[in-house]
Amino acid sequence: MSAGERLTDALYGLGWATVRKLPEPVAAGLGRRIADTAWKRRGQGVLRLEANLARVVPGASPERLAELSRAGMRSYMRYWMESFRLPSWSAERVGRSVDIKDLHHLTDGLAAGKGVVLALPHLANWDLAGVWATRVLGVPFTTVAERLKPESLYDRFVAYRESLGMEVLPHTGGAAFGALARRLRAGGLVCLVADRDLSASGVEVDFFGERARMPAGPALLAQHTGALLLSATLWYEDETTMSGRVYPPVGVPETGTRAEKTSSMTQALADAFADGIAEHPEDWHMLQRLWTADLDPAKGPK
């Protein structure tokens, strides 16, 4: 493990160990200060966030983009401050903090017993949404996690999410796909953050008027297992509440090759993601390259 990786692991460990013990106003204030400091430094992540937001809010002035990116960094740090504290939140607290609209699409799908794939973008706090599903709805689910460096940091994330009631599988291609398919055939719920392809070989979609790649997994799982495919978006309503919306099911096209069906279904997910992101761009935590025009083909997403 390099010195940088050891430092990263130590900092995250410090966050999990100490932030949850702080009074809530203190933790929230700390998050805002960290966000504002990072924003003022104009590092690579902030600049990339602004470049991404320029596509989401076309015609926005530099001042507007700076305003959005500052709000975006505060939203991103709110995600972290909340996530560090989630293990100590009661089910009652989680229930007060989350309001999901059109939930019947999810509950009806689960009641049908064929399994549900729920795809989300990097909006607001998807971990809080997961805790709400397990503790308030009483619905366990399976997800995947990107391999992080150092390995100890990945282990921290897995242990953290499993402590919240989630089953976490490593993002390892075919092995993960098979396990997810088994969960769906048993009538389970699979939740996937799916607005950025991690393999550089995903499905090309139109996203805010340009080409981007998104994972084929949600659409393929639905085709392979007969599970219902849903999308959802999240946003921070105010300082104490996160809202969300579940979109109507994405059907499997009746004609076309598997690749054509996958492309159509993934585009439907992208359209739903774009709808939610356009309404709440400040809550989209996309500090990496996403559109194909920005990617180095030799290196993939950064």
Side-chain angles (χ1 to χ4, degrees):
M1 185 189 303
S2 69
E5 289 174 345
R6 285 196 298 272
L7 176 60
T8 298
D9 184 52
L11 289 173
Y12 279 111
L14 180 65
W16 266 299
T18 62
V19 170
R20 74 177 65 180
K21 298 177 182 177
L22 295 174
E24 191 154 328
V26 175
L30 175 62
R32 287 192 294 270
R33 288 193 296 274
I34 294 172
D36 288 349
T37 298
W39 179 78
K40 289 175 182 177
R41 288 179 177 173
R42 310 289 293 162
Q44 182 178 355
V46 173
L47 295 177
R48 174 48 50 192
L49 177 61
E50 285 189 9
N52 290 339
L53 289 170
R55 288 172 161 111
V56 172
V57 190
S61 66
E63 293 77 15
R64 174 59 176 155
L65 288 175
E67 179 184 276
L68 280 173
S69 69
R70 182 179 186 182
M73 292 303 294
R74 286 189 169 195
S75 175
Y76 183 49
M77 286 310 304
R78 175 174 170 176
Y79 161 81
W80 281 111
M81 293 296 111
E82 286 179 345
S83 294
F84 287 142
R85 299 170 65 83
L86 276 179
S88 63
W89 282 23
S90 67
E92 190 273 336
R93 169 65 191 279
V94 173
R96 284 190 286 110
S97 301
V98 178
D99 175 34
I100 304 297
K101 307 176 191 309
D102 298 324
L103 182 61
H104 65 278
H105 294 306
L106 175 59
T107 54
D108 289 352
L110 290 170
K114 294 183 178 180
V116 174
V117 182
L118 183 64
L120 308 91
H122 287 81
L123 273 168
N125 193 335
W126 48 96
D127 282 336
L128 174 55
V131 175
W132 179 83
T134 60
R135 294 186 181 174
V136 178
L137 276 188
V139 178
F141 68 90
T142 304
T143 188
V144 298
E146 179 183 1
R147 283 283 184 185
L148 301 172
K149 291 184 178 181
E151 189 74 13
S152 56
L153 178 58
Y154 171 78
D155 291 340
R156 286 184 190 273
F157 270 99
V158 170
Y160 154 70
R161 288 189 168 122
E162 288 182 341
S163 76
L164 300 176
M166 312 175 194
E167 180 187 25
V168 183
L169 304 176
H171 189 274
T172 52
F177 187 93
L180 294 174
R182 289 191 293 274
R183 304 299 185 272
L184 291 168
R185 289 195 185 97
L189 173 63
V190 166
C191 297
L192 301 170
V193 180
D195 56 343
R196 179 171 178 254
D197 177 52
L198 296 174
S199 66
S201 60
V203 178
E204 278 212 356
V205 296
D206 179 83
F207 197 54
F208 291 101
E210 293 189 44
R211 304 304 287 175
R213 284 198 294 266
M214 293 187 180
L220 287 173
L221 282 166
Q223 292 178 66
H224 194 64
T225 66
L228 191 70
L229 177 59
L230 298 174
S231 57
T233 59
L234 305 167
W235 65 92
Y236 285 125
E237 193 72 53
D238 52 40
E239 292 184 357
T240 61
T241 307
M242 183 182 75
S243 294
R245 174 177 293 110
V246 182
Y247 288 76
V250 176
V252 178
E254 295 183 0
T255 61
T257 65
R258 172 164 288 189
E260 290 169 341
K261 292 178 180 179
T262 301
S263 177
S264 174
M265 296 168 73
T266 306
Q267 182 64 61
L269 295 179
D271 292 343
F273 295 167
D275 179 70
I277 292 166
E279 287 187 1
H280 305 280
E282 69 281 359
D283 288 326
W284 191 38
H285 306 156
M286 187 54 66
L287 280 68
Q288 300 86 19
R289 299 177 189 272
L290 176 68
W291 280 271
T292 55
D294 296 334
L295 301 178
D296 180 346
K299 297 180 179 179
K302 293 294 184 185

